Amino acid sequence: MTILLLGSGGREHALAWKMLQSAKCQQLFVAPGNAGTSQIATNVILNPLDFIAVKDFVLQNNVDMVVVGPEDPLVHGIYDFFKNDGQINHIPVIGPSKIGAQLEGSKEFAKEFLVKHNIPTARYESFTKVTVEAGCEFLTTLEAPYVLKADGLAAGKGVLILNDLAEAQQELRNMLVDAKFGAASSKVVIEEFLDGIELSCFVLTDGKSYKILPTAKDYKRIGEGDTGLNTGGMGAVSPVPFADAVLMEKIETRIVKPTVEGLQKDNIEYKGFVFIGLINVKGEPMVIEYNVRMGDPETEVVMPRIKSDLVELFEAVGQQKLEDAVLEIDERSATTIIIASGGYPEDYEKGKVISGIETIEDSIVFHAGTKEDNGNIVTNGGRVLAITSYGNDFQEAIKKSYQNIDKLHFDKMYFRKDIGRDLL
Ligand code: AMP
Ligand code: GLY
């Protein structure tokens, strides 16, 4: 098969790495990819949001399957674009339909779906510019901390958690009236704060049945001890040690099953990943968010733990035969540590030469923000590399990653030294 993978991050390098282990994957294109994907596949200069260009490429190169890494093309309807075009509607797109992608594209849509299908989540109400005063009033009925969520996509920055009521009311006005997050905050969901430890559950579904992929926990803040600004994620561990059989059973029966059944009941076509952000509140799992793609850096620990052929699983998803497929999981732990550019998630410099990658032993280097420049690999983003290792437990895996990171260097390189420490 010839496969086109859309995206350019560590997630895409990990997806590419996994798909290339399949005998079915004869040719893999990654658009636009990074310096890591170019070493194992063929990068193509193509904007994943330019669907006409994607179609032309697919036809010219006899692509048999399109796998979508990030949420943007999904929220913009790439699945429906293929489905509605007679020239390409036979080519499976791994990802949900446009309406399915609203589970990530609109916090309000996701909350309505959760409530409608009786899936445990925080109590909420949503507000617009017209109802901003009612929103300020609603805040007074909640206890601190206050959780404000811009309805639309805001590159992971649209959620504010504030301790002070007056500040929360002011921020609500900033979001709704002053468009703090642009159109994304023309609607705001205010919800009850859930106190617990977070984990993520990944599901692959064909819209009828599903497979639960390995769980993972990521580290969102830039600073050690979970301090400082939010990032895309600074490290990840899989499996999540506290996700025991009892918790997983609750997650499956109360959350995963009703989610897939809900999609069916609502006639939402969905052939792709569901990434369910959960919070474990005293042993009771509650949903904080849906994403309609894999997580980054979670993919860099989830893919290495899947033993089954991912391309076969994707084929089964495309044909809605996932029920018959087998998912085998590696018992070992996998962990990843993100190497970032100093300054991230605020301003940072690019173009720094990375050295030491070839000296890494017994870890997998997934590239995120990298590119090739005159024979060098240079930094090209905030998150630069993800160093993934296996171990009999997560401590062993983390130790390997840190030992290897000592051999890496670039100017202003930064990484968190405490990944996994909270799980000890
Ligand atoms: P989201 O984009 O919805 O995942 O929110 C970003 C982060 O905000 C989550 O990963 C949580 O750490 C936190 N968060 C979101 N909603 C809540 C909530 N209701 N209670 C506590 N923390 C939350
Ligand atoms: N690491 C969180 C995400 O991919 O959304």
Side-chain angles (χ1 to χ4, degrees):
M1 282 172 84
T2 297
I3 301 174
L4 171 64
L5 170 64
L6 301 179
S8 64
R11 165 181 52 215
E12 286 72 23
H13 191 185
L15 286 167
W17 171 87
K18 181 65 192 160
M19 287 194 285
L20 283 162
Q21 291 170 10
S22 169
K24 295 204 161 175
C25 184
Q26 276 128 10
Q27 179 151 38
L28 179 64
F29 293 108
V30 189
N34 58 37
T37 60
S38 81
Q39 288 170 358
I40 58 174
T42 306
N43 283 0
V44 283
I45 301 166
L46 194 59
N47 174 3
L49 291 175
D50 184 348
F51 297 165
I52 304 277
V54 173
K55 173 187 168 180
D56 289 344
F57 182 85
V58 160
L59 288 174
Q60 277 157 22
N61 295 279
N62 297 315
V63 168
D64 302 298
M65 178 187 282
V66 178
V67 178
V68 186
E71 64 278 13
D72 259 5
L74 297 166
V75 172
H76 284 94
I78 192 165
Y79 178 94
D80 308 67
F81 177 86
F82 270 68
K83 187 187 165 189
N84 296 327
D85 186 323
Q87 280 181 290
I88 49 175
N89 62 5
H90 61 287
I91 299 167
V93 174
I94 303 304
S97 59
K98 187 171 185 174
I99 182 78
Q102 285 299 97
L103 284 180
E104 176 164 0
S106 163
K107 300 276 186 202
E108 186 185 44
F109 180 90
K111 294 299 282 191
E112 283 172 354
F113 180 90
L114 287 160
V115 171
K116 181 174 176 190
H117 299 293
N118 258 312
I119 302 168
T121 190
R123 191 163 66 91
Y124 82 103
E125 277 192 41
S126 55
F127 300 92
T128 63
K129 199 171 176 171
V130 180
T131 55
V132 61
E133 290 314 314
C136 289
E137 190 56 40
F138 180 65
L139 281 168
T140 66
T141 70
L142 300 174
E143 286 186 28
Y146 304 94
V147 183
L148 308 182
K149 299 185 170 185
D151 179 60
L153 291 184
K157 299 193 178 81
V159 176
L160 299 179
I161 298 181
L162 304 156
N163 282 313
D164 181 69
L165 176 64
E167 195 191 343
Q169 291 172 327
Q170 186 52 48
E171 284 293 354
L172 182 67
R173 291 195 179 94
N174 293 346
M175 286 165 96
L176 290 173
V177 184
D178 302 329
K180 177 167 179 153
F181 299 106
S185 68
S186 59
K187 209 181 266 173
V188 172
V189 167
I190 301 180
E191 69 178 33
E192 194 179 37
F193 180 81
L194 299 174
D195 196 7
I197 180 157
E198 283 179 55
L199 73 153
S200 301
C201 171
F202 298 92
V203 176
L204 183 63
T205 182
D206 59 6
K208 294 199 314 202
S209 79
Y210 62 84
K211 299 282 180 226
I212 299 182
L213 307 178
T215 55
K217 182 179 188 304
D218 89 340
Y219 291 79
K220 288 210 171 80
R221 304 293 195 95
I222 189 69
E224 278 152 32
D226 289 322
T227 54
L229 294 172
N230 255 319
T231 71
M234 296 300 293
V237 174
S238 177
V240 178
F242 61 83
D244 57 15
V246 176
L247 185 66
M248 287 313 293
E249 164 70 20
K250 289 181 187 171
I251 291 172
E252 177 159 13
T253 54
R254 298 178 193 177
I255 294 166
V256 176
K257 232 167 162 270
T259 296
V260 175
E261 284 169 3
L263 292 170
Q264 258 186 301
K265 282 183 199 152
D266 293 353
N267 283 316
I268 296 174
E269 276 183 57
Y270 204 117
K271 295 179 180 173
F273 293 107
V274 196
F275 161 175
I276 313 177
L278 300 167
I279 220 157
N280 178 15
V281 185
K282 300 192 183 86
E284 306 305 319
M286 316 253 308
V287 175
I288 29 176
E289 66 166 343
Y290 283 116
N291 294 301
V292 298
R293 51 169 174 85
M294 284 299 296
D296 194 353
E298 293 91 331
T299 311
E300 292 95 300
V301 293
V302 170
M303 288 304 138
R305 296 195 57 234
I306 296 178
K307 281 191 180 164
S308 310
D309 184 318
L310 185 64
V311 175
E312 278 179 13
L313 288 168
F314 284 161
E315 275 187 308
V317 165
Q319 297 161 0
Q320 292 198 300
K321 288 184 179 156
L322 192 59
E323 197 179 12
D324 306 328
V326 188
L327 176 70
E328 256 195 289
I329 305 293
D330 193 319
E331 290 298 311
R332 288 174 296 172
S333 285
T335 62
T336 199
I337 317 284
I338 292 287
I339 309 295
S341 300
Y344 172 79
E346 297 185 283
D347 290 344
Y348 55 85
E349 294 163 31
K350 291 184 183 177
K352 308 286 186 193
V353 175
I354 306 168
S355 63
I357 294 179
E358 66 295 340
T359 66
I360 300 291
E361 282 169 85
D362 211 14
S363 289
I364 310 165
V365 179
F366 291 120
H367 291 231
T370 63
K371 69 171 189 183
E372 277 156 354
D373 184 35
N374 282 323
N376 288 317
I377 293 177
V378 301
T379 65
N380 193 39
R383 293 188 295 167
V384 177
L385 299 171
I387 312 302
T388 295
S389 310
Y390 291 105
N392 289 318
D393 52 33
F394 72 90
Q395 293 98 312
E396 190 182 300
I398 283 172
K399 198 169 152 202
K400 266 190 223 166
S401 286
Y402 281 126
Q403 280 167 348
N404 271 318
I405 287 169
D406 283 342
K407 305 182 208 161
L408 290 171
H409 177 79
F410 60 84
D411 185 31
K412 302 199 175 81
M413 165 173 143
Y414 172 81
F415 59 94
R416 270 180 67 167
K417 296 179 185 65
D418 67 337
I419 301 302
R421 200 176 290 163
D422 59 324
L423 299 170
L424 289 174

